[in-house]
Amino acid sequence: MKSSRLLAWIAIAIGALYFIVPLIGTFEFSLRMRRGEYSFDAYQSVFSDLQFRATFGYSMLMGFLTIIFGMLLVVPTAYWVRLRLPQLRPVVEFLTLLPLVIPAIVIVFGYLRLYNSSSWLPLTNSTNGTNLLLMFSYMTLSLPYMYRAVDTAMRAIDVATLTEAAESLGAKWPTIMFRCIFPNVMSGVLSGAFITFAIVMGEFTMAALLNRPAFGPYLQLVGANKAYEPSALAIIAFAITWLSIGLLQLVSRFQKTAPAKA
Amino acid sequence: MSFLTLSNIQKSFGPVQVVKDFDMAIEKGEFVSFLGPSGCGKTTVLRMIAGFETPTGGTITVAGRDQTSLKPNQRNIGMVFQAYALFPNMNVAENVAFGLKVAGKPKAEIDARVKEMLGLIHLGHLAERYPYQMSGGQQQRVALARALAPKPQVLLLDEPLSALDAKIRVSLREEIRQIQQQLGITTVFVTHDQEEALSISDRIVVMNAGRADQIGTPAEIYNRPSTRFVANFVGTLNLIDAKVIDPGENRIAIGDQGVTLREPVAPAKAGDTISLALRPEAGSIAPDAKGETALTGEVVSSNFLGSVIRTRMKVGESVISFDMFNSPGLVPPAVGETVTLRFTAGDLLIIRD
């Protein structure tokens, strides 16, 4: 074996240890709730906690709503920019990258300043209004991933020519959008959707400062007050993320846009 | 009255005028090709007929109806694109049925029409295939069937063969022409390939810098190019400078050799320089070659091109190419050899531009 190959394997092993050892340690610790033997008591305790169910359900609902509204915002925007306003592309790309640069706490304080009870649009006056604001916050956070996933999917299918082909066959905008464009960027939309879902399930700052009963603040609360359950929750959160990534991989294989044979 | 009429069409993108005063009348069932180099405006004209571009000036009528301001989806004009543009999420049958579904046709009618169209392109057995499972040639045939399915008034073909390899290109262009004649559909075909345009068109529009330089049948375009650009662009051509000796007798000189033309030399005067065009295949150096006109020169090169041997000879300041059909016993002239090229005076065309 060449020395460079050996070094590569050593690097991979160190990297794997760095990621896997803490995870194994956390998992092992989560099984130690019962004294003297391994058990799933911590998981049982987490799943039987009503607050877990409530916060998990709330975050899942917020995740689905964020995905739906995010799709409705991002797909037509990416389509329009690609088709009619290509000169605006750098501007839109810059805007969609901002949530990665601006800390979430700054964004949420901005929201609170703009939409507090004494503002022109007092969204925080009601529970539903605050829920709406939280959903928009999640949409903002997921924008860099959602936009790029959809834009990349659109790049793969010559959107302009497909639109013209559909128009020449008599199709109007809704038909073009929902029968010709949407199905062909679905893998990108779903990729963005799974990333969005993973973000929403673990997000803490926005939900805590808007005082909503989401899964992120619940994770923090349990972590501060209990011993074994936080480890069980960390493993559960990892499982959700991996499931999302697995689904993302699966979906990307279903795309029917392989290159044509010569 | 013509079926498709383009009157005084103009198109500018910002300060750049890409189509200038374009006039064209196309008869019903005619196959017209727009031929020209990249950037000459041929695709822009096609896109204006389709409705994807709005003319800066002028009108477009189909069957007497002004279409200039109609949206593409209101025109009933079928289009085939260079990049096929099949919907990747739909199989062949669904792609062909798309326009019919959009038009709200009953299912039975759609099924029958799809079957008919797939039969027309001989791909009935691939109805369930998706575009990514097909070759480029098959995809383009499906695109043609899809464009024809809603029975459009006009069929537009935007360089549909450019992305295909040479063999498929030839077979598909013959298939396109056969289908067009079978259906009698008015067709506009855009290409930069002169062989394609010459082989399948009723008429050709040779475009240059946003204008139609010449409109005519393939034979007219090839045999009687009206401008230097057309002469240069269509086929291989010798452009020869000649000096007018006697305008009354149509007598000119190429180098120091006198030739009498059939075309009137006027309004050129004695001593003027004029441009003449001569196709490489027009003459022959064989001892029994026919033709009342002859030019003698020295061979400067001789190239084997497969079916023909192209020889270049120097006459005065001009270098003239001529072709000889290849045959097993043929010995091409050697470089430096003096040969006499014979041709008929009518083969020498005056280029006036």
Side-chain angles (χ1 to χ4, degrees):
Chain A
M1 190 185 280
K2 284 181 182 174
S3 61
S4 60
R5 230 179 127 94
L6 183 70
L7 283 172
W9 276 111
I10 290 171
I12 288 170
I14 291 170
L17 284 173
Y18 181 79
F19 286 109
I20 291 169
V21 167
L23 207 58
I24 293 171
T26 307
F27 180 61
E28 198 265 350
F29 185 72
S30 72
L31 301 176
R32 284 189 179 206
M33 195 170 179
R34 197 178 295 172
R35 202 170 286 269
E37 60 177 307
Y38 285 135
S39 73
F40 285 98
D41 287 357
Y43 293 89
Q44 210 170 0
S45 165
V46 165
F47 287 127
S48 59
D49 185 356
L50 288 177
Q51 215 182 343
F52 167 80
R53 291 185 206 171
T55 55
F56 194 80
Y58 177 84
S59 283
M60 275 192 47
L61 178 68
M62 292 305 283
F64 285 126
L65 289 174
T66 306
I67 288 164
I68 290 165
F69 282 89
M71 270 183 348
L72 290 176
L73 172 74
V74 168
V75 176
T77 305
Y79 175 68
W80 204 248
V81 167
R82 200 157 262 284
L83 197 66
R84 297 269 183 258
L85 303 165
Q87 70 276 16
L88 275 186
R89 211 158 156 235
V91 178
V92 176
E93 289 208 343
F94 175 74
L95 285 176
T96 59
L97 276 177
L98 283 180
L100 289 181
V101 185
I102 302 171
I105 195 150
V106 175
I107 297 173
V108 80
F109 273 118
Y111 281 153
L112 285 171
R113 180 132 186 95
L114 268 175
Y115 303 113
N116 64 39
S117 51
S118 57
S119 76
W120 59 277
L121 187 60
L123 283 177
T124 56
N125 250 0
S126 65
T127 306
N128 285 340
T130 315
N131 287 339
L132 195 68
L133 190 56
L134 182 60
M135 189 195 72
F136 287 143
S137 311
Y138 289 153
M139 274 169 65
T140 308
L141 284 184
S142 62
L143 206 53
Y145 313 102
M146 192 64 145
Y147 184 81
R148 253 141 215 85
V150 171
D151 194 49
T152 305
M154 282 193 181
R155 195 177 302 159
I157 56 157
D158 194 354
V159 170
T161 314
L162 283 187
T163 302
E164 287 179 353
E167 275 186 300
S168 72
L169 292 163
K172 292 178 181 161
W173 283 107
T175 311
I176 296 170
M177 199 64 181
F178 290 102
R179 284 180 59 190
C180 305
I181 303 299
F182 240 106
N184 290 308
V185 296
M186 201 37 104
S187 66
V189 169
L190 288 174
S191 302
F194 291 127
I195 295 171
T196 302
F197 189 71
I199 289 170
V200 171
M201 291 309 288
E203 203 284 328
F204 169 77
T205 317
M206 302 272 190
L209 288 167
L210 288 172
N211 196 28
R212 299 310 304 137
F215 192 55
Y218 172 75
L219 283 176
Q220 189 276 332
L221 187 74
V222 172
N225 297 301
K226 293 185 177 175
Y228 299 98
E229 284 84 345
S231 301
L233 277 170
I235 297 297
I236 292 166
F238 263 108
I240 292 167
T241 310
W242 286 342
L243 191 71
S244 296
I245 291 168
L247 285 172
L248 194 149
Q249 295 285 337
L250 201 67
V251 163
S252 58
R253 283 184 197 174
F254 288 136
Q255 211 177 5
K256 290 171 182 165
T257 51
K261 294 166 200 165
Chain B
M1 190 182 178
S2 300
F3 187 68
L4 169 61
T5 314
L6 307 168
S7 309
N8 198 25
I9 295 294
Q10 292 162 44
K11 178 68 186 174
S12 300
F13 291 110
V16 184
Q17 194 172 9
V18 290
V19 178
K20 299 161 192 165
D21 304 324
F22 189 89
D23 285 296
M24 173 96 209
I26 300 173
E27 300 304 321
K28 191 165 174 59
E30 203 178 2
F31 193 115
V32 173
S33 293
F34 290 174
L35 176 66
S38 297
C40 71
K42 57 190 189 298
T43 296
T44 307
V45 174
L46 192 85
R47 289 175 62 78
M48 285 192 279
I49 300 172
F52 299 133
E53 304 287 354
T54 311
T56 315
T59 54
I60 298 168
T61 62
V62 177
R65 189 180 169 213
D66 190 348
Q67 306 246 322
T68 319
S69 55
L70 289 183
K71 289 177 182 171
N73 56 18
Q74 297 169 327
R75 295 192 182 205
N76 192 22
I77 288 178
M79 183 141 172
V80 175
F81 299 83
Q82 183 182 345
Y84 323 135
L86 294 179
F87 304 122
N89 58 312
M90 298 179 200
N91 64 25
V92 168
E94 288 165 343
N95 263 287
V96 177
F98 182 84
L100 301 164
K101 280 185 184 167
V102 165
K105 301 283 181 200
K107 191 178 179 308
E109 191 185 324
I110 293 173
D111 291 346
R113 184 71 178 158
V114 168
K115 204 171 169 190
E116 185 191 342
M117 286 294 107
L118 292 182
L120 193 69
I121 57 162
H122 313 295
L123 288 179
H125 59 294
L126 301 182
E128 301 300 317
R129 288 251 180 111
Y130 282 89
Y132 75 94
Q133 296 169 316
M134 305 174 80
S135 69
Q138 288 171 331
Q139 286 190 60
Q140 201 56 294
R141 279 150 77 193
V142 175
L144 180 66
R146 182 181 66 175
L148 290 170
K151 298 183 180 167
Q153 306 180 86
V154 177
L155 176 66
L156 306 177
L157 305 165
D158 185 9
E159 305 208 30
L161 309 173
S162 301
L164 305 173
D165 63 49
K167 240 181 176 175
I168 294 169
R169 202 184 293 184
V170 172
S171 67
L172 190 54
R173 82 179 181 214
E174 284 163 5
E175 202 173 330
I176 287 173
R177 178 57 162 161
Q178 186 221 320
I179 290 170
Q180 184 269 334
Q181 284 177 325
Q182 193 178 330
L183 301 177
I185 187 167
T186 311
T187 303
V188 181
F189 178 77
V190 161
T191 183
H192 60 262
D193 185 323
Q194 45 167 301
E195 192 189 317
E196 259 170 39
L198 291 169
S199 64
I200 60 172
S201 314
D202 290 319
R203 278 194 297 162
I204 296 172
V205 181
V206 183
M207 290 191 66
N208 177 28
R211 282 203 172 86
D213 252 31
Q214 189 175 358
I215 301 175
T217 63
E220 284 168 355
I221 296 285
Y222 190 83
N223 294 326
R224 305 211 61 82
S226 62
T227 67
R228 181 181 289 266
F229 173 80
V230 177
N232 262 324
F233 191 75
V234 181
T236 309
L237 200 78
N238 292 296
L239 281 171
I240 307 161
D241 285 336
K243 190 154 270 181
V244 177
I245 300 170
D246 182 354
E249 294 294 317
N250 299 327
R251 191 88 184 141
I252 54 107
I254 299 170
D256 55 359
Q257 300 176 49
V259 173
T260 302
L261 299 178
R262 281 194 194 161
E263 272 189 80
V265 173
K269 299 181 289 294
D272 285 356
T273 301
I274 58 171
S275 287
L276 300 171
L278 179 69
R279 295 279 178 205
E281 66 271 23
S284 171
I285 59 161
D288 57 345
K290 291 190 175 73
E292 73 275 23
T293 311
L295 287 170
T296 301
E298 189 180 302
V299 173
V300 291
S301 70
S302 199
N303 297 316
F304 179 72
L305 302 177
S307 61
V308 296
I309 293 165
R310 179 158 296 167
T311 303
R312 298 166 75 231
M313 69 173 195
K314 198 158 194 287
V315 180
E317 291 303 306
S318 301
V319 174
I320 300 172
S321 295
F322 61 93
D323 291 344
M324 293 180 287
F325 281 111
N326 183 25
S327 66
L330 180 72
V331 181
V335 173
E337 194 179 328
T338 300
V339 293
T340 298
L341 178 71
R342 295 187 178 282
F343 51 93
T344 58
D347 291 326
L348 269 177
L349 306 171
I350 302 173
I351 301 295
R352 304 171 198 271
D353 60 313

